[in-house]
Amino acid sequence: MGALLEVQHLKKYFNSPKGKVHAVDDVSFVIEQGKTMGVVGESGCGKSTLGRTIIHLQDSTDGKIIFDGKDVTNLDKKALNTLRDDMQIIFQDPYSSLNPRMTIRQTIQEPLKLSGKFEGDKLEEETERLMKLVGIEERLALSYPRELDGGRRQRVGIARALALHPKFIVCDEPVSALDVSIQAQVLNLLMDLQESEGLTYMFITHDMSVVKHISDNICVMYLGQLVETCESDELFENTLHPYSKTLLSAIPTIDIHAKKKRIPLKGEIVSPIDPKPGCRFAARCPYAIEGCHAPQQLEEVLPGHFVSCCRVREINHLE
Ligand SMILES: Nc1ncnc2c1ncn2[C@@H]1O[C@H](COP(=O)(O)OP(=O)(O)OP(=O)(O)O)[C@@H](O)[C@H]1O
Ligand SMILES: [Mg+2]
């Protein structure tokens, strides 16, 4: 299958009193139809901004977004509305994204009604279909969000996202706010829906075990930039970028014999405001040398495995 989404040199800057926040700074990647691209990185590295910019919840500063073979970077209002049906988002906190005064049925019906495509029996049928699809019991139709547990609330959020048969969904930390016992159920639901509805996901998380479980490919972000991207298995077996190594070393393990040492990170995350050229991780990197202050390029170091680090070969004893 071909690419559903292609992002080329995407930038999203915000103006702040202190300067320009380079939230997303020249990011390029491709997501194949029906696959899941995991996006990981510390808080503030630009994961949500990347997702929100791609689905046009905010304008991009520069770069290109190609979706389903079409350049959708700049669209008029009508084209944007059509695109909104195709690209959806599931948020971390289902509670704050649901209207507390609407019943579950009304909540799920809202996007259907707004589309103008459903009314009367058809609306009721479609509501029922969506509730079934995400596993919300019919008896809950007249309940309010506060009466549901977190897992069910997130199922309602998923039903809303799926209402208009999207092709692409940004899942922005969709299970991070849920109890661990419920996380797996919601993840499994998302994976089942991907299969049955033919969905393509961008899955944002800071939880490395979640991303390993769900992703086909992974992008590791640091301060608005990609530092490493490849297939998920490859990233976990063969982590090449110093930042990814520290990120992956932080996964808790239940194997008491595993000798994996947690690599501590020195220094603070530098500011994304008017960053200097050169590797943004250098200030915290145990391998940093003078040359790291020159601009870095994402480079195919092994087949399909891209890394942005001028010392990557040396550090990993490649060649
Ligand atoms: N509307 C905005 N105006 C100004 N700065 C913003 C805005 N939205 C995000 N930022 C800044 O952009 C950077 C990236 O933020 P973003 O929310 O995308 O990070 P994130 O990786 O999603 O973090 P988290 O893991 O905490 O959700 C941060 O420095 C943030 O302060
Ligand atoms: Mg975020």
Side-chain angles (χ1 to χ4, degrees):
M1 287 260 194
L4 179 71
L5 176 79
E6 188 171 352
V7 169
Q8 297 174 354
H9 306 290
L10 193 69
K11 294 185 185 174
K12 176 63 186 177
Y13 295 173
F14 295 106
N15 288 317
S16 89
K18 291 185 188 151
K20 274 208 169 14
V21 181
H22 291 223
V24 172
D25 208 0
D26 200 352
V27 167
S28 303
F29 62 82
V30 170
I31 310 182
E32 303 281 319
Q33 160 73 37
K35 301 284 184 192
T36 298
M37 172 67 85
V39 178
V40 297
E42 278 165 297
S43 181
C45 72
K47 304 180 295 296
S48 297
T49 304
L50 178 62
R52 296 169 60 87
T53 308
I54 289 172
I55 67 165
H56 290 68
L57 285 179
Q58 54 201 17
D59 293 335
S60 50
T61 304
D62 199 7
K64 248 189 194 174
I65 304 165
I66 315 232
F67 182 70
D68 217 2
K70 288 189 273 300
D71 185 340
V72 297
T73 318
N74 300 301
L75 295 175
D76 59 26
K77 228 171 162 185
K78 189 160 162 262
L80 196 59
N81 278 336
T82 314
L83 187 75
R84 288 250 156 85
D85 294 350
D86 284 340
M87 293 179 149
Q88 287 289 325
I89 185 162
I90 299 169
F91 296 101
Q92 169 173 357
D93 181 359
Y95 198 51
S96 64
S97 63
L98 301 179
N99 183 337
R101 284 179 211 87
M102 280 193 190
T103 64
I104 299 313
R105 174 191 276 138
Q106 289 169 330
T107 305
I108 295 178
Q109 284 185 343
E110 192 183 36
L112 296 169
K113 281 185 178 166
L114 284 174
S115 76
K117 291 180 196 151
F118 300 90
E119 53 184 35
D121 286 351
K122 215 171 144 205
L123 179 65
E124 296 308 323
E125 264 167 43
E126 196 57 15
T127 314
E128 220 170 278
R129 182 188 76 84
L130 284 166
M131 287 181 66
K132 217 179 250 157
L133 188 64
V134 301
I136 293 276
E137 301 89 328
E138 246 204 288
R139 64 179 168 84
L140 296 174
L142 298 178
S143 305
Y144 287 88
R146 75 182 123 77
E147 298 172 292
L148 267 54
D149 59 47
R152 288 201 175 79
R153 284 203 288 256
Q154 191 55 294
R155 286 174 194 263
V156 174
I158 295 170
R160 279 171 64 90
L162 290 182
L164 301 174
H165 300 281
K167 296 180 178 138
F168 176 68
I169 301 187
V170 171
C171 306
D172 192 351
E173 307 260 12
V175 299
S176 312
L178 304 177
D179 287 350
V180 174
S181 59
I182 295 175
Q183 286 192 359
Q185 295 171 13
V186 174
L187 282 178
N188 286 337
L189 172 67
L190 286 170
M191 290 197 281
D192 290 347
L193 290 169
Q194 175 163 49
E195 196 66 31
S196 67
E197 309 296 296
L199 297 167
T200 304
Y201 291 147
M202 174 170 151
F203 195 100
I204 298 171
T205 180
H206 59 261
D207 185 329
M208 298 307 293
S209 22
V210 166
V211 83
K212 183 176 187 182
H213 186 61
I214 199 158
S215 314
D216 298 293
N217 297 80
I218 298 181
C219 286
V220 182
M221 278 185 87
Y222 190 81
L223 275 182
Q225 299 185 318
L226 294 194
V227 294
E228 183 160 8
T229 181
C230 58
E231 284 186 3
S232 174
D233 293 344
E234 166 71 6
L235 183 70
F236 282 89
E237 273 160 34
N238 207 3
T239 320
L240 298 181
H241 193 284
Y243 174 63
S244 314
K245 287 179 199 276
T246 66
L247 202 63
L248 267 58
S249 77
I251 311 177
T253 166
I254 48 167
D255 179 2
I256 52 164
H257 301 295
K259 283 246 176 57
K260 210 166 64 181
K261 232 178 97 200
R262 188 165 173 166
I263 309 169
L265 261 186
K266 57 172 187 162
E268 279 295 297
I269 187 162
V270 287
S271 160
I273 298 173
D274 301 321
K276 294 188 189 71
C279 175
R280 292 183 188 173
F281 184 58
R284 298 165 91 187
C285 181
Y287 306 101
I289 53 167
E290 206 44 48
C292 301
H293 299 295
Q296 311 279 313
Q297 294 281 344
L298 206 57
E299 192 193 339
E300 190 167 12
V301 176
L302 294 169
H305 193 151
F306 296 80
V307 184
S308 173
C309 169
C310 60
R311 298 197 71 195
V312 62
R313 292 191 171 79
E314 204 181 329
I315 292 167
N316 295 286
H317 313 290
L318 301 171
E319 290 173 335

